[in-house]
Amino acid sequence: MADKNLCMGCMRELSGEKICPHCGFSASAVQSAPYLSLGTVVGDRYLIGKVLEHNGEGTTYIGYDLVSNMIVNIREFLPEVLIQRDVNTSEISVISGCELVFSDCCQSFLELWRKLARMRGLSALICVIDIVEDYGTVYAVYEAVNECLTLREYLLDIPA
């Protein structure tokens, strides 16, 4: 884990506090299965924080890049209906009979994130930092977006 005392909810310094003064996240919080435990390190570089979002294809965590010391988002390929996660090792295993579907979906996930990584210079797209394999699945690491407007909000804000 990082030598810093970081909040797993916002990845800012806790300064010894048990409740984050920035976001209110508790240092004693536990992440439920099948998600990675708070404080897990992916690819020997990315510290996992709380789940930000999840759907049938995967899970997005707030994270921290231990090399560049910056907050990131980490998208884990985690199709919950196809896998099981060992709570002791964080390794996932594919449910028997689902291997081909898992493999095909994983390749689609990788293809999407590799395409996004190649379009890194376009300001309208998220900036992919890294794609790593660990714990039996793959992860896409990208810049955390602090604030953004929806297209609707932007269009409503344009002077008439």
Side-chain angles (χ1 to χ4, degrees):
M1 191 176 192
D3 57 353
K4 298 179 180 183
N5 185 20
L6 298 175
C7 169
M8 294 294 109
C10 67
M11 293 297 167
R12 293 166 70 181
E13 287 276 350
L14 273 178
S15 303
E17 301 290 325
K18 297 295 180 201
I19 301 292
C20 179
H22 308 288
C23 72
F25 194 78
S26 172
S28 62
V30 176
Q31 201 131 267
S32 62
Y35 310 114
L36 289 170
S37 299
L38 299 170
T40 300
V41 176
V42 171
D44 295 323
R45 178 173 178 170
Y46 304 105
L47 182 68
I48 294 290
K50 76 174 183 178
V51 170
L52 298 175
E53 180 268 331
H54 61 92
N55 59 27
E57 171 261 359
T59 302
T60 302
Y61 306 90
I62 189 167
Y64 191 80
D65 184 335
L66 298 169
V67 173
S68 67
N69 294 314
M70 66 184 232
I71 298 170
V72 295
N73 285 342
I74 302 167
R75 183 72 179 169
E76 177 182 38
F77 176 65
L78 190 71
E80 294 177 34
V81 297
L82 303 177
I83 60 95
Q84 295 175 329
R85 172 166 267 141
D86 183 315
V87 293
N88 297 316
T89 65
S90 297
E91 288 288 327
I92 68 162
S93 58
V94 180
I95 295 170
S96 181
C98 298
E99 295 87 359
L100 184 58
V101 174
F102 178 87
S103 178
D104 288 349
C105 292
C106 186
Q107 288 307 311
S108 294
F109 178 92
L110 282 168
E111 185 179 323
L112 168 68
W113 286 97
R114 287 175 179 149
K115 284 179 181 177
L116 286 170
R118 285 193 299 269
M119 294 186 273
R120 186 179 175 112
L122 299 176
S123 62
L125 298 175
I126 57 176
C127 182
V128 178
I129 297 167
D130 201 359
I131 299 170
V132 296
E133 293 183 43
D134 208 348
Y135 301 111
T137 191
V138 291
Y139 301 83
V141 181
Y142 58 97
E143 286 183 353
V145 179
N146 293 332
E147 293 182 31
C148 63
L149 295 174
T150 65
L151 178 59
R152 183 179 192 284
E153 291 168 334
Y154 176 78
L155 292 174
L156 289 174
D157 197 37
I158 296 175

